[in-house]
Amino acid sequence: MATNYKILGQITGSSATASLYTVPAATQTVVSSLVVANRSTSNSTFWIAAIPSGDTLANKNYLAFNVPISASDSTALTLGITLGASDFIQVSGVATGSFTLFGSEIS
C-alpha cells in the first residue's frame, strides 16, 4: 500500500455548502489538518462536516458548526480523521475566505 502525503483540497469560501474533498475509490485517507482563512475585513463563521459514503449532510456529521473567525485571521485545526472510499468533507461559511485540507491518501 502506497501513502501519498498531499494537499487534499482547496476551495474559496461561500455561504453555500461546498465539497472540499471526496476520498477516491480503493483509497483510505487520514486527514491531518484543516486551515480556514478569513480574507475579509469582517468577522464571519464557518462549519465543517465529515459525511460517510452514501449519506447526505445531517446534524450528526458536523465537526464544527458556526465557529466564529475574526476578520483577516485564520484558524488551524489538527484533526486526525480517518475516511474510507467515497467519504467526503463539506464546508461552508467565510464567503471571502479559503479552506485548505492536508492529509495522506493510502491506496
Side-chain angles (χ1 to χ4, degrees):
M1 295 182 95
T3 301
N4 187 13
Y5 303 98
K6 62 190 275 185
I7 295 173
L8 298 171
Q10 290 183 308
I11 59 173
T12 55
S14 158
S15 56
T17 301
S19 288
L20 177 59
Y21 173 74
T22 301
V23 180
T27 303
Q28 298 173 326
T29 298
V30 178
V31 174
S32 62
S33 56
L34 172 67
V35 178
V36 182
N38 184 358
R39 301 183 327 269
S40 172
T41 55
S42 301
N43 295 340
S44 191
T45 60
F46 66 90
W47 63 258
I48 306 159
I51 305 167
S53 175
D55 280 3
T56 57
L57 180 64
N59 288 335
K60 66 183 180 180
N61 303 125
Y62 288 103
L63 304 175
F65 188 78
N66 283 342
V67 176
I69 184 167
S70 298
S72 302
D73 200 2
S74 61
T75 299
L77 304 169
T78 303
L79 300 170
I81 297 170
T82 55
L83 301 171
S86 300
D87 293 348
F88 56 105
I89 301 288
Q90 286 188 328
V91 296
S92 183
V94 197
T96 345
S98 304
F99 293 87
T100 302
L101 192 68
F102 300 91
S104 307
E105 288 182 337
I106 305 157
S107 56

